Amino acid sequence: MWDIETGSTRLTLKHNDIVQSLSWSANGALMVTTSRDKKLRIWDVRQETAVHVVPGHAGAKNSRAVWMGEHDRLATTGFSKMSDRQIGLWDIRSPQEPIGGFDMLDSISGVCMPFWDDSTQCLYLAGKGDGNIRYYEYEHDKFEYLSEYKSADPQRGIAFLPKRGLNIHDNEVMRAFKSVNDNYIEPISFIVPRRAEVFQGDIYPPVTGTKPAMSSAKWFDGGDALPPKIDLESVYAGEEPAEVASDYKPRTLTPPKAPAEIKKEPEPVKQAPQPSPAFRSPPPSMKEQTGSIAALASRFADNDPDDSVEDDTSSFEEIPKPVDRSEKQIHIASTVDKTQSTGIQKGLESSSNFPASAAVEPTSTARPDPQMIKPKNLDPPSAATSSSNAMNLPPTPAAGTEPIQGYLQEIKALLQQQTQTMAQQSAKIGQLTAEVDDLKTNLSSTNLSGRMGVADKGERIKRLEEELAELRS
């Protein structure tokens, strides 16, 4: 340790190996050093003795140490036995091992250089040979990772500007200068992203100024003290730096005291009103109940006019459902039956004029060949024919029940005759329908070369359809 006023050495701190880094405490009483023998030493400089000598990082590469400002804590960086970069937090009162052990950073081979900012309580780690700068916040004896500056240009060396030289108007909290390839020095600014309309006292507390705490003689005699500080608010206002005491704390706005609570006398408890006893009236009589039900029914009665007349006189006509082909024969039979029954009724009405000796001529029941049937021979007996046959019935005597029985016998015979005729016509209709269907089937499967045969069959089908239409009519 040299006294620059006299140009002579005053103190000597002996190490067993090469010293790799050193850092002073805030009051200048203690010093921490790291050496190549992997030991961490805390020195009482004026006594020239190491207060604590403890094992540091176990790696063979360089380790670094920094005193954390006015705290009684140390931060070290180094390597493990597996060459992983580490960071450690130490308590100077019991430095046997780091607080919480070593924290691994990465596996990069470059030496990690620590820098402490006492204003923002942040630790900056810059790697030698890489372009990254990490920064952590110290809180509750632990380093909390904040962010990282990355660059493709590796730094060979790095240093930080004192606080009094920062751009306070832009909220710049740190400025680093790194050497790039031994060619140029690049500045790197760390800025808090907030609007800087007024002075930000929370990130700019008073910092160490330019004046020493004491002379070298006093310090060699064993004195120690914190150097005076300057208030950065005066620098923000463009004035001369205003010095403040080393133990100065920035003023804070004290919250207004809460008004004393006024004790209120307890209010008397109001008793809830008790319900009065209920008196029930006698139940209603049957006559009253009947009257109330009738009034309720008349209240909900339907007084709207009946719309059934309008529904009956609707202008819309119902479309009959189409009749299936299979039901056509039944429909023809029912039509003929109605026609015959109409003729019978007419005969009964004019029974008083019927002659008694009239004879009924039976019709032939033989089934003719459907190929020889012509349309004129297939006309069904009309209502006029039936009525004429009824007119030719013989009259019966008008006395007693015998004439009535005779009429009934004649009516039964007539009904049997009409039933046989209807059965024959139904059979003929079925034969014609089947023949028409067969011809249509054959016509669709016939070759185009037989055009004459197709024409003959077409005429045959047309003729049969005409006969079938006359029979149905």
Side-chain angles (χ1 to χ4, degrees), residues 336-367:
V336 176
D337 191 6
K338 290 180 181 180
T339 305
Q340 299 299 333
S341 61
T342 305
I344 293 170
Q345 290 178 1
K346 290 183 180 180
L348 290 176
E349 291 175 359
S350 60
S351 60
S352 59
N353 299 326
F354 289 165
S357 59
V360 179
E361 296 180 359
T363 58
S364 176
T365 60
R367 300 179 66 180

Side-chain angles (χ1 to χ4, degrees), residues 152-167:
D153 299 326
Q155 57 253 5
R156 298 290 298 274
I158 192 168
F160 281 82
L161 184 71
K163 282 284 186 175
R164 56 184 179 271
L166 300 178
N167 188 352

Side-chain angles (χ1 to χ4, degrees), residues 130-345:
D130 61 77
N132 302 336
I133 301 176
R134 298 184 181 93
Y135 40 101
Y136 299 78
E137 182 179 9
Y138 172 70
E139 187 177 13
H140 305 299
D141 275 345
K142 189 177 180 181
F143 290 117
E144 299 290 344
Y145 174 77
L146 296 179
S147 184
E148 180 179 7
Y149 166 79
K150 294 183 179 182
S151 174
D153 299 326
Q155 57 253 5
R156 298 290 298 274
I158 192 168
F160 281 82
L161 184 71
K163 282 284 186 175
R164 56 184 179 271
L166 300 178
N167 188 352
I168 304 175
H169 293 272
D170 292 340
N171 293 338
E172 185 183 21
V173 293
M174 287 291 278
R175 186 187 302 176
F177 296 93
K178 74 172 186 177
S179 61
V180 181
N181 297 328
D182 295 335
N183 294 327
Y184 61 92
I185 296 177
E186 178 183 359
I188 302 171
S189 296
F190 296 87
I191 298 175
V192 177
R194 64 168 69 169
R195 298 181 64 181
E197 296 180 355
V198 295
F199 177 71
Q200 308 294 316
D202 57 335
I203 59 177
Y204 294 113
V207 296
T208 303
T210 57
K211 293 183 178 181
M214 63 185 66
S215 64
S216 60
K218 290 183 178 179
W219 183 83
F220 279 114
D221 292 340
D224 54 15
L226 293 173
K229 299 180 180 180
I230 60 174
D231 188 5
L232 293 179
E233 188 173 3
S234 59
V235 179
Y236 180 85
E239 302 172 357
E240 290 292 331
E243 293 186 4
V244 294
S246 58
D247 57 349
Y248 172 80
K249 301 295 181 183
R251 61 181 183 277
T252 57
L253 297 177
T254 56
K257 296 182 179 180
E261 296 183 358
I262 301 174
K263 296 183 179 180
K264 296 182 179 180
E265 296 181 358
E267 298 180 357
V269 180
K270 296 182 180 180
Q271 297 181 357
Q274 298 181 355
S276 58
F279 297 96
R280 295 184 177 179
S281 59
S285 61
M286 285 295 297
K287 186 178 293 184
E288 293 177 353
Q289 292 182 359
T290 306
S292 61
I293 293 173
L296 184 63
S298 61
R299 179 181 178 184
F300 294 98
D302 189 6
N303 299 325
D304 296 337
D306 190 6
D307 298 337
S308 60
V309 179
E310 297 180 2
D311 296 340
D312 295 340
T313 59
S314 176
S315 60
F316 295 97
E317 296 180 359
E318 295 183 359
I319 300 175
K321 184 178 180 180
V323 182
D324 297 337
R325 181 178 292 274
S326 60
E327 299 177 356
K328 288 184 178 180
Q329 296 180 1
I330 301 173
H331 179 68
I332 293 171
S334 61
T335 306
V336 176
D337 191 6
K338 290 180 181 180
T339 305
Q340 299 299 333
S341 61
T342 305
I344 293 170
Q345 290 178 1

Side-chain angles (χ1 to χ4, degrees), residues 360 403-416:
V360 179
I404 297 175
Q405 293 179 358
Y407 289 140
L408 292 176
Q409 293 294 334
E410 293 174 359
I411 291 171
K412 289 180 179 179
L414 182 60
L415 289 175
Q416 291 177 0

Side-chain angles (χ1 to χ4, degrees), residues 1-6 8-13 22-32 43-49 67 212-227:
M1 189 72 60
W2 291 77
D3 185 357
I4 59 174
E5 292 182 355
T6 61
S8 61
T9 59
R10 300 285 301 270
L11 302 172
T12 304
L13 307 177
L22 63 89
S23 179
W24 287 91
S25 63
N27 59 359
L30 301 175
M31 177 190 290
V32 59
W43 296 85
D44 184 354
V45 181
R46 269 92 43 110
Q47 299 295 328
E48 299 180 284
T49 57
W67 204 290
M214 63 185 66
S215 64
S216 60
K218 290 183 178 179
W219 183 83
F220 279 114
D221 292 340
D224 54 15
L226 293 173

Side-chain angles (χ1 to χ4, degrees), residues 443 446-448 450-459:
L443 181 60
T446 303
N447 194 2
L448 295 175
R451 295 182 179 178
M452 297 302 294
V454 173
D456 295 339
K457 290 181 180 180
E459 293 178 359

